[in-house]
Amino acid sequence: MNRLEAMNLFVRVAERGSFSAVAEQLGVARSVVTRQIAALETHLGVKLMARSTRRLTLTSAGAAYLEKCRVILNLVEAAETNVAEEHLTPRGNLRIGLPLTFGLKRLLPVLLDFAQRYPEIRLDMDYTDRRLNLIEEGFDLSIRITDRLEPGDIVRKLGSCRLLVVASPDYLARHGRPQHPAELKHHECLTYTTDAHHATWLFRVDGRLERVDVRSRISANNGEALVEAAAAGLGIALQPDFIAEPYLAAGKVEVLLEPFSQPDPGIYVVLPGNRYVPYRVRVFIDFLAAQLKGSVAHSLAGPASNVARTA
């Protein structure tokens, strides 16, 4: 193994925090990865990693070496790509984290088109609504729908969606139709699991944003499950348009509180840290932005921005 390959392997292990995870990703035995890291430590004459039965941590020398390796590997990839990019065929593995409902309903057709267009890229699609740690879990990027980006997130905004307050005709007949966000305190609301005990919904009231505390007996970690509960007459849900629209079209739910809009969540590509973006990833992001601009224009609004740090 040459020096750059050894650096790349060390960075993978350091970021994943696991020999086994990297071995599985590379399709080799764990012992192969362990021996190669040990050989690198012997070559450098320092211990890079402290191993235990439960976790792997970097030594101070390992942490310093990791940062230098990242810089070197980014420079090498940037130099090679800039010289050869016009003649490159995008290839390699592309692991993508996707929100469950939006990923299946809106993104899957785009991803399948991409797979047909670029047959030398291997797509690994992980559908989940939880927030991913891209570096530790080995993702190249994720798609996130949120109005709360974390400081330091590296993102490209693809657009935005609308939030709708919905309830079934049956629920409204039994409990009445709220005319103002403040009246939600008298209703059963259907909330995300993370917000179940202290749920707060934002509304624009008289030109300013107001927080409205809501109570919830039913919560879930998936938006479609919550709209399904609303359609069954179990409460009021606040969900993105791409989830609510089929239920609205079928007459299973109605939109409430239309004069009081909510901040629109953004739809973002999120990248794993401030590093050089590989060619295959840039090709995918550009393809996704171009396809979504036309295919889901009713859910996406606004042009794609450049990759930038959002603080």
Side-chain angles (χ1 to χ4, degrees):
M1 174 176 288
N2 65 37
R3 195 72 55 79
L4 287 177
E5 289 174 337
M7 287 182 176
N8 187 53
L9 181 65
F10 169 71
V11 170
R12 284 174 179 253
V13 172
E15 290 182 342
R16 298 297 298 274
S18 167
F19 291 116
S20 299
V22 173
E24 182 179 353
Q25 189 176 38
L26 296 177
V28 300
R30 181 183 184 278
S31 58
V32 173
V33 177
T34 304
R35 285 198 304 269
Q36 290 171 345
I37 294 298
L40 178 62
E41 290 177 323
T42 300
H43 169 76
L44 295 171
V46 295
K47 202 75 170 173
L48 299 173
M49 297 177 173
R51 302 144 172 94
S52 71
T53 56
R54 291 192 175 183
R55 59 180 304 182
L56 181 155
T57 57
L58 295 178
T59 63
S60 58
Y65 186 63
L66 174 63
E67 293 307 310
K68 291 181 174 64
C69 285
R70 283 173 171 162
V71 171
I72 291 168
L73 292 170
N74 283 345
L75 287 173
V76 169
E77 185 165 8
E80 292 178 348
T81 301
N82 290 340
V83 169
E85 192 167 285
E86 292 184 3
H87 309 287
L88 282 177
T89 298
R91 57 170 52 88
N93 295 332
L94 190 59
R95 190 173 187 218
I96 309 165
L98 300 160
L100 187 56
T101 302
F102 187 74
L104 289 172
K105 291 190 172 182
R106 297 293 173 86
L107 295 181
L108 183 57
V110 180
L111 293 170
L112 297 181
D113 285 346
F114 180 83
Q116 291 182 329
R117 180 80 62 87
Y118 298 101
E120 295 192 43
I121 290 182
R122 180 183 179 278
L123 280 182
D124 180 358
M125 298 176 281
D126 190 308
Y127 289 88
T128 178
D129 287 334
R130 69 182 177 85
R131 182 183 174 93
L132 300 168
N133 187 314
L134 302 184
I135 292 177
E136 288 186 5
E137 298 181 58
F139 285 90
D140 291 292
L141 71 151
S142 69
I143 307 300
R144 189 178 303 157
I145 301 175
T146 183
D147 58 0
R148 296 192 296 268
L149 288 170
E150 298 297 325
D153 278 348
I154 309 298
V155 304
R156 175 171 175 172
K157 188 174 183 181
L158 299 175
S160 59
C161 59
R162 292 183 302 124
L163 288 175
L164 303 174
V165 182
V166 298
S168 71
D170 173 63
Y171 176 89
L172 297 174
R174 289 184 288 113
H175 300 282
R177 179 185 293 267
Q179 301 297 322
H180 190 279
E183 296 175 24
L184 289 174
K185 65 184 178 182
H186 303 300
H187 288 266
E188 287 291 344
C189 294
L190 306 164
T191 61
Y192 278 104
T193 301
T194 53
D195 301 326
H197 301 299
H198 303 285
T200 301
W201 291 355
L202 282 175
F203 292 90
R204 289 188 179 90
V205 180
D206 297 328
R208 67 181 186 275
L209 286 177
E210 288 191 5
R211 296 182 180 274
V212 176
D213 292 330
V214 299
R215 59 187 174 90
S216 175
R217 183 173 63 87
I218 297 175
S219 60
N221 65 349
N222 175 260
E224 191 155 15
L226 295 173
V227 178
E228 191 70 40
L234 294 172
I236 298 174
L238 174 63
Q239 289 298 315
D241 51 5
F242 62 83
I243 294 179
E245 281 171 355
Y247 295 86
L248 291 167
K252 294 181 178 180
V253 297
E254 301 175 10
V255 177
L256 312 177
L257 301 173
E258 290 186 83
F260 307 95
S261 61
Q262 296 80 32
D264 294 336
I267 302 175
Y268 299 93
V269 171
V270 185
L271 296 168
N274 192 14
R275 62 173 68 177
Y276 181 75
V277 182
Y279 181 51
R280 67 184 183 281
V281 175
R282 285 187 284 131
V283 168
F284 174 76
I285 294 172
D286 290 342
F287 182 89
L288 186 64
Q291 294 298 311
L292 288 184
K293 186 176 181 181
S295 64
V296 290
H298 60 291
S299 283
L300 299 176
S305 65
N306 293 326
V307 174
R309 180 179 294 277
T310 300

